[in-house]
Amino acid sequence: MKDSILNSSNLFLKLSLIFLLLLLSVSGIYFYASFQIAEKHFEEKNQKLNADIAGHIASELKPFLNGTLKEQAADEIMHSMMAVNPSIEVYLLDANGKILNYVAPYKKVVLDSVSLDPIENFIANYKDEAILGDDPRQKGRQKVFSAKKIEEEGKTLGYIYVILASEEYDSANEQLFGSYILKLGSVYGLITILAAMLIGVLAIWLITKNLSSTIQTVKRFQQGEMSARIKINSGGEISRLAEAFNEMADTIVGNIENLKSMENLRRELVGNVSHDLRTPLAVIHGFIETLIIKQDQLTEEEKTKYLSRALTGTERLKKLVEELFELSKLEAKQIKPSKEAFFINELMDDIAQKYTLLVEEKKIKISAEGHDKPFMVYADISLIERVLQNLIDNAIKFTPENGQIKLKINEKAQEVEIQVTDTGNGIPQDQVPFVFDRYHIGDKRISLDINSTGLGLAIVKRILEIHNTSINLQSKIGQGTTFSFSLPQHSV
């Protein structure tokens, strides 16, 4: 119990730690992505709001006169624009992108020229999406800009190139923006993380709590409490695990019960076999011993009589052993039916002919009904022959003189029903459920055959089971007994 609680606690701590690390990682990615998206959005809005600023400067500034740069006039106007909007940097470019003049804080410019591709793209295609150009004050960095082409008589003389966020403005803006994001993240982000942690840890606790109960139930089952089952409260993986365990536990308990039943059957079988083998062996031993001891005192007729009885005992013993082997193979499912199509009428007529002499000696009449129409069935012919022989043997044993045995065939839907009926004394109702058990020879009917092994009907039941059918029994005291079974009908 303590081990399961400790294991559950350790699992709770591990899952909580993993969840916390994942939560922090996702939060970090979220804040970084939010910062990047917000920064890009700011750039797009800044460029959209100031997209025409280079055009306004170009309309005021006439930096070229007859293709020649007027530096003093350009400086004055560009400084005026800087005074109006100190966040911008203004650059005058020639037709190849070389920086001719500029107004930038501290005169800090590291590039001699800028790429014209983004400038031409801006002038020709700008709509709403941000376009970035070279930052002359920082090599390798790009910023949003505004640009305007300067033309004279259809000839491109240069460009007005305005960086919309100077380096100093950028630095101050980043500090303010970072401070804003930090404040926003520290308040709402912390609240979100704490709420997510609380919900997550609670969920993990509920899961591990159910898992702890599951572990305790498994431990109880392991310690021998076969009735221990996991209580299923709701859906989910833990519930499916509980259902699987409960089904497994039921299967194990069922197998244990089957093993106990098999053990009882084994003991019963050993006892019955020992008894049945001992009886004929004792008879054989007795007659042979008598022959040896009194061989000088017995007449030839008595010797023949004793030897005949000993031989009868060996035949009964042989039959018992053969049927035991046959029944054992059937119960172990070592015999597989080799099915084929055949006429059941012909088989029943052949078997009835074999019993003609025997039933005449016992003054019993055997007849067949419903054999005018041929019926073809699909089954193992040798096993079905064995079934019919056992049923007729059983009928002959319990049918008195002047009695009758009927073999009948009935057509039922897609099946053929075979019946074996005798006119014996019938079977008491309290004995009917046990007729097909091993060694059931105490059904209170008077058997006329001392060689009965009590295995014939058990063999019949097992053979029909491997044919996926069953044997049925109807009996009335003083009127007789009917055994019947069905086989699938085969189309000709």
Side-chain angles (χ1 to χ4, degrees):
M1 183 72 72
K2 290 182 178 179
D3 290 341
S4 63
I5 293 174
L6 289 173
N7 290 335
S8 177
S9 177
N10 290 335
L11 180 62
F12 170 74
L13 293 175
K14 289 177 183 177
L15 290 176
S16 298
L17 181 60
I18 292 171
F19 174 76
L20 178 60
L21 292 175
L22 288 174
L23 184 62
L24 292 175
S25 300
V26 171
S27 299
I29 295 171
Y30 170 77
F31 284 123
Y32 175 78
S34 299
F35 184 83
Q36 294 296 322
I37 292 171
E39 186 176 28
K40 185 177 180 181
H41 178 72
F42 174 77
E43 289 178 345
E44 289 177 351
K45 292 299 180 184
N46 190 19
Q47 190 171 43
K48 186 174 183 179
L49 290 172
N50 297 287
D52 297 329
I53 194 170
H56 293 311
I57 293 174
S59 65
E60 298 292 332
L61 175 63
K62 303 295 183 181
F64 295 96
L65 180 62
N66 299 324
T68 303
L69 178 66
K70 301 187 297 180
E71 293 188 9
Q72 184 176 358
D75 285 345
E76 290 177 357
I77 295 175
M78 290 169 67
H79 278 90
S80 298
M81 295 303 299
M82 283 286 295
V84 174
N85 191 351
S87 66
I88 64 174
E89 299 170 3
V90 184
Y91 297 87
L92 178 61
L93 311 178
D94 66 8
N96 297 317
K98 183 179 179 180
I99 299 175
L100 301 176
N101 198 356
Y102 61 88
V103 178
Y106 309 111
K107 300 291 183 177
K108 178 186 174 184
V109 176
V110 297
L111 299 181
D112 296 328
S113 62
V114 296
S115 174
L116 291 179
D117 290 338
I119 294 174
E120 294 289 353
N121 185 29
F122 176 84
I123 294 171
N125 303 313
Y126 176 71
K127 291 181 180 179
D128 294 322
E129 189 173 350
I131 299 176
L132 302 180
D134 292 338
D135 183 2
R137 299 181 67 187
Q138 297 184 69
K139 189 175 182 179
R141 185 173 180 181
Q142 292 188 320
K143 290 186 175 181
V144 290
F145 63 91
S146 175
K148 182 68 178 179
K149 186 182 292 187
I150 301 173
E151 296 178 319
E152 187 176 288
E153 297 180 357
K155 181 181 179 181
T156 301
L157 299 179
Y159 299 89
I160 297 295
Y161 183 59
V162 181
I163 298 296
L164 299 177
S166 66
E167 185 178 356
E168 290 72 20
Y169 177 84
D170 243 1
S171 177
N173 183 64
E174 285 178 0
Q175 290 180 2
L176 290 172
F177 188 71
S179 176
Y180 170 75
I181 292 294
L182 182 62
K183 289 179 181 178
L184 186 65
S186 61
V187 177
Y188 295 105
L190 184 60
I191 293 173
T192 303
I193 290 173
L194 289 176
M197 281 181 59
L198 181 62
I199 295 171
V201 170
L202 180 61
I204 292 171
W205 177 78
L206 289 174
I207 292 172
T208 53
K209 178 185 177 183
N210 292 334
L211 190 58
S212 175
S213 174
T214 300
I215 293 172
Q216 292 176 24
T217 304
V218 173
K219 287 283 187 182
R220 284 163 47 207
F221 187 83
Q222 181 187 22
Q223 293 168 2
E225 188 179 337
M226 293 296 135
S227 61
R229 296 293 183 273
I230 300 172
K231 186 177 180 181
I232 300 174
N233 297 320
S234 59
E237 298 298 329
I238 299 296
S239 295
R240 281 196 285 273
L241 175 63
E243 289 176 359
F245 171 80
N246 290 343
E247 291 176 2
M248 181 194 70
D250 291 339
T251 302
I252 290 174
V253 171
N255 289 339
I256 290 174
E257 293 299 323
N258 288 336
L259 288 174
K260 289 179 179 178
S261 178
M262 290 298 293
E263 178 62 18
N264 292 333
L265 287 174
R266 185 191 65 80
R267 291 176 181 175
E268 181 182 351
L269 174 61
V270 170
N272 289 331
V273 169
S274 299
H275 176 269
D276 281 9
L277 291 178
R278 186 165 54 247
T279 302
L281 283 174
V283 172
I284 296 168
H285 180 271
F287 284 117
I288 294 176
E289 186 179 36
T290 302
L291 284 170
I292 294 173
I293 295 173
K294 299 182 177 182
Q295 57 181 332
D296 297 331
Q297 303 172 17
L298 296 174
T299 64
E300 290 299 322
E301 184 180 351
E302 289 175 330
K303 289 180 181 180
T304 303
K305 178 181 177 182
Y306 289 163
L307 287 172
S308 298
R309 291 185 178 178
L311 180 61
T312 301
T314 59
E315 290 175 349
R316 185 172 186 272
L317 185 61
K318 178 183 176 182
K319 183 179 180 182
L320 176 62
V321 171
E322 288 176 350
E323 291 192 348
L324 277 172
F325 274 114
E326 184 179 8
L327 184 58
S328 298
K329 288 181 179 180
L330 287 168
E331 290 183 337
K333 297 182 180 179
Q334 294 180 357
I335 297 177
K336 303 294 182 183
S338 179
K339 296 183 179 181
E340 60 181 300
F342 63 92
F343 288 104
I344 189 66
N345 313 62
E346 296 179 359
L347 178 62
M348 293 177 70
D349 289 339
D350 290 342
I351 294 174
Q353 288 295 324
K354 293 179 182 179
Y355 283 93
T356 301
L357 293 177
L358 179 60
V359 296
E360 286 179 355
E361 289 177 4
K362 304 186 73 170
K363 299 180 180 179
I364 297 172
K365 182 180 179 182
I366 186 168
S367 62
E369 295 181 7
H371 288 211
D372 297 333
K373 177 183 176 181
F375 291 102
M376 183 172 281
V377 297
Y378 189 71
D380 188 313
I381 187 170
S382 61
L383 292 177
I384 297 302
E385 182 178 9
R386 178 73 163 133
V387 167
L388 291 170
Q389 288 176 346
N390 285 10
L391 291 177
I392 295 173
D393 284 339
N394 185 77
I396 292 173
K397 284 188 293 185
F398 297 105
T399 301
E401 289 185 1
N402 301 317
Q404 187 175 4
I405 297 173
K406 292 182 180 180
L407 308 180
K408 189 176 181 180
I409 299 177
N410 297 318
E411 186 175 10
K412 295 175 59 178
Q414 301 299 318
E415 294 182 328
V416 175
E417 183 187 53
I418 297 98
Q419 294 182 348
V420 178
T421 303
D422 65 58
T423 56
N425 295 327
I427 304 172
Q429 287 301 312
D430 61 336
Q431 294 293 320
V432 169
F434 311 106
V435 166
F436 298 100
D437 292 346
R438 290 172 178 259
Y439 302 107
H440 184 76
I441 57 178
D443 59 11
K444 300 185 180 174
R445 295 191 295 175
I446 300 175
S447 174
L448 305 179
D449 187 354
I450 62 171
N451 291 321
S452 174
T453 64
L455 298 175
L457 293 180
I459 291 173
V460 167
K461 180 181 178 182
R462 297 300 185 274
I463 290 176
L464 293 178
E465 283 177 352
I466 64 175
H467 279 81
N468 298 317
T469 187
S470 58
I471 184 75
N472 299 311
L473 168 61
Q474 293 180 338
S475 184
K476 291 184 178 180
I477 298 297
Q479 296 185 23
T481 303
T482 298
F483 291 92
S484 62
F485 63 94
S486 297
L487 294 174
Q489 189 169 358
H490 188 79
S491 299
V492 180

